[in-house]
Amino acid sequence: MPLIREPAMPKLRLNIRYLPFLALLLLTGISGLVLIFVPQLWVLAIFGIAAGLSLVGLYDLRQSRHAILRNYPVIGHLRYMIESVGPEFRQYFFESDRDEVPFSRQTRVLVYQRAKGVEDKRPFGTVESVYASGFNWLTHSIVPKTIKDTNFRVRVGGPDCRQPYDASVYNISAMSFGALSANAISALNRGAKLGGFAHDTGEGGISRYHRAGGGDLVYQVASGYFGCRNDDGSFSPGKFAAQARDPQIKMIEIKLSQGAKPGHGGMLPASKISPEIAEARGIPMGRDCVSPAAHSAFSTPLEFMAFIALLRDLSGGKPVGFKLCIGHRREFMCLVKAMLETGITPDFIVVDGKEGGTGAAPLEFVNRVGMPMLEGLHFVHNLLRGAGLRDRIRIGAAGKIVSAYDIARAMALGADWCNSARGYMFAIGCIQAQSCHTNRCPAGIATQDPRRMKALDVEDKTQRVARFHRNTLKALGELVGAAGLSHPSEFLPYHFMFREKDNAFQDGNEVFEDLPEGFLLTGSTHPDLQAWLDRWNRASAETFEPLRMPKSRFAS
């Protein structure tokens, strides 16, 4: 069937959709004639605007890329303008206080209020649907306690660690310089220094802005080995040691995967690499910077344990752990088997949920890849219990942890501390415009545009970061006291209730059960543990490949 070719300039029939364009042509002609006889500035302005828009309309009619612009010359551009500010319009004019896209207005306002130190109380009762499926709540005590010191901390460092770190239970999660602006990094790190908590560098390396702030740093080592890489992108032990032995570095975090895009690498094009980014990452100017999906320093569970031991030694005995979003549960069991076989254990594991944030990722990864934080956290906690290793390894949790209730619930399900990225971004002024990948962040946070980032006042935002941390921990202390406890580490699943359907709820310890210590090693015959044991028996310390694939219960 032959192709039907349209003429380069479609015929202008008398159609309502062309009326605005025809009106502009008419206004251009009339104002041009008037300008000849009345050479006034206001007439010239009208003629210039009308003529300019008429030229836009003529171009719209001739171009073939956008059908909307050909059918609606000039006014069709309004569609693209409105689409570009859609997220801002939705969050300010259309969404309710409880719509999560991805953070509700209620949540964002809570962070803003705590960061500013203004009233954060609510009148008139809850707006939550307390009888809806999925609602959960904290149980309280008849004899609550008053918690005066809310500077809650946890010691991180296993038996092989020579420089343990007393971490706050609420820290700044991984966000790289490059993804965030210089002013944003400065405000976050100075706020961490002021508030006495830790700031994860993200995989982009340690920038001059991290160092100038003086706050405690968690140095993240990812597959690109930024700041500790050879020219070919491989890991450099010497460069790592030079970085990690800096007293400002308190812990080392090996990034295996990120919640928002697990199993996905990245590439920073040469055009976006500034001298400061090149300095922090240890990469050359003028060349694309690739972050592989997988590490090159190890490829098996046993090699990974050896890598952990190497980093601990090179850092002078500082806590070394890793961060991941749970995917194949058997693969994590492979790591635990390697821990048992080698006797090498990480000092900590950070469990990132698939609800975690990112500067940019494919939609399929953001929405459909990886395990959510609560389930991933509970799985890691129970697996370490089953292997008899839970008392040697601390667990951190990340993934939309913004309020004191979020922290309390995560700690009840196995976390020893929590990290937040977007919570602290809100604290320094993020409005959730969701333009992080465009370099046009309206708050000057997720951009490298010097004019935009200049709008972020470092001194003011430093105070807001520290204040948000302090007020959130104060609120956490009130929850701890209300439950009749003395420290958030005492929270258990038992302290929470979960509504499974409209007229039924369960104790947290029924929904998120703590499994028996060492059951994977003793070969328990309890029928409810057989799925765990089957997956455990398919895991190997020598390889991440499955020893055998699981079959359906109907297979012979």
Side-chain angles (χ1 to χ4, degrees), residues 12 68 385 527:
L12 290 177
I68 288 177
R385 283 177 60 85

Side-chain angles (χ1 to χ4, degrees), residues 489-509:
S489 62
E490 298 173 13
F491 277 125
L492 297 171
Y494 164 79
H495 293 108
F496 290 80
M497 306 293 286
F498 293 82
R499 188 178 296 282
E500 293 193 322
K501 51 187 178 180
D502 291 350
N503 61 350
F505 55 86
Q506 287 185 302
D507 285 344
N509 58 333

Side-chain angles (χ1 to χ4, degrees), residues 264 283 340:
H264 193 277
I283 56 176
L340 293 171

Side-chain angles (χ1 to χ4, degrees), residues 256 300-302 304-305 308 322 324 326 329-346 349 379-390 392-393 520-521 532 536 539-544:
L256 296 182
T300 70
L302 292 175
F304 183 48
M305 292 307 113
I308 289 175
F322 60 90
L324 85 169
I326 296 298
R329 288 168 288 176
R330 175 193 48 78
E331 289 185 348
F332 188 78
M333 288 182 171
C334 292
L335 294 178
V336 175
K337 279 197 168 182
M339 296 175 199
L340 293 171
E341 185 168 323
T342 62
I344 300 169
T345 54
I349 298 171
F379 168 74
V380 169
H381 169 68
N382 268 328
L383 183 60
L384 294 179
R385 283 177 60 85
L389 296 174
R390 184 62 182 90
R392 294 169 60 103
I393 302 171
L520 293 171
L521 307 180
W532 287 79
W536 178 256
S540 169
E542 285 76 27
T543 178
F544 287 111

Side-chain angles (χ1 to χ4, degrees), residues 190-221:
R190 293 183 183 190
K193 172 70 172 179
L194 186 62
F197 53 100
H199 179 193
D200 194 313
T201 65
E203 66 176 287
I206 308 168
S207 72
R208 62 180 67 179
Y209 304 104
H210 289 101
R211 298 187 189 280
D216 291 351
L217 293 176
V218 178
Y219 177 27
Q220 187 180 89
V221 178

Side-chain angles (χ1 to χ4, degrees), residues 1-59:
M1 184 177 179
L3 294 174
I4 300 174
R5 298 186 179 276
E6 295 185 32
M9 177 77 75
K11 293 181 180 180
L12 290 177
R13 301 177 195 156
L14 188 57
N15 191 305
I16 190 171
R17 67 175 185 266
Y18 292 121
L19 288 181
F21 173 56
L22 294 174
L24 283 171
L25 291 176
L26 183 61
L27 180 61
T28 301
I30 293 174
S31 59
L33 289 174
V34 172
L35 187 62
I36 296 173
F37 300 102
V38 186
Q40 297 290 325
L41 185 61
W42 65 271
V43 180
L44 178 62
I46 293 174
F47 172 76
I49 294 172
L53 290 175
S54 296
L55 290 173
V56 170
L58 290 171
Y59 173 79

